[in-house]
Amino acid sequence: MSENYKFFQHKDCEFFPCHKVKDTKDFNCLFCYCPLYTLGDKCGGNFKYVNGIKDCSNCLIPHSKNGYDYIMSKWEEVSRLASENHKK
């Protein structure tokens, strides 16, 4: 079975690529905005806080070849957080 659903590239986007990379061949645009952002320190990415705002500009997890699988592995945490916030 094909796994094409795990990769999308939008080369016509005015921000492509949105991160500095040596080669854009495997740059994945599927998660243009990372769904793990809301996990804060638990996302597992290479980020820092600048003036209290999470800066993910050095993180390539959602744009990497295995980014889809990594994000799906964290999906239960994202879902749980969304459910907890909904109950408030």
Side-chain angles (χ1 to χ4, degrees):
M1 179 176 183
S2 163
E3 293 191 348
N4 292 326
Y5 62 90
K6 293 182 178 184
F7 183 85
F8 169 75
Q9 200 170 70
H10 184 28
K11 291 182 180 179
D12 292 333
C13 175
E14 58 270 26
F15 301 107
F16 182 83
C18 58
H19 294 268
K20 292 180 183 178
V21 293
K22 291 180 183 177
D23 185 7
T24 61
K25 180 179 68 99
D26 292 324
F27 193 89
N28 192 350
C29 301
L30 183 63
F31 296 111
C32 179
Y33 293 97
C34 184
L36 303 183
Y37 182 89
T38 191
L39 293 179
D41 296 342
K42 297 178 183 177
C43 71
N46 182 22
F47 68 90
K48 60 186 173 189
Y49 285 100
V50 178
N51 298 322
I53 298 172
K54 190 174 175 183
D55 175 2
C56 305
S57 57
N58 289 320
C59 181
L60 292 173
I61 288 175
H63 304 297
S64 67
K65 189 173 186 175
N66 296 316
Y68 178 89
D69 292 326
Y70 181 80
I71 288 173
M72 290 299 105
S73 76
K74 300 286 241 173
W75 199 250
E76 188 174 326
E77 291 177 60
V78 172
S79 179
R80 185 173 45 251
L81 182 62
S83 178
E84 288 171 4
N85 287 333
H86 179 69
K87 292 176 186 177
K88 291 181 181 181

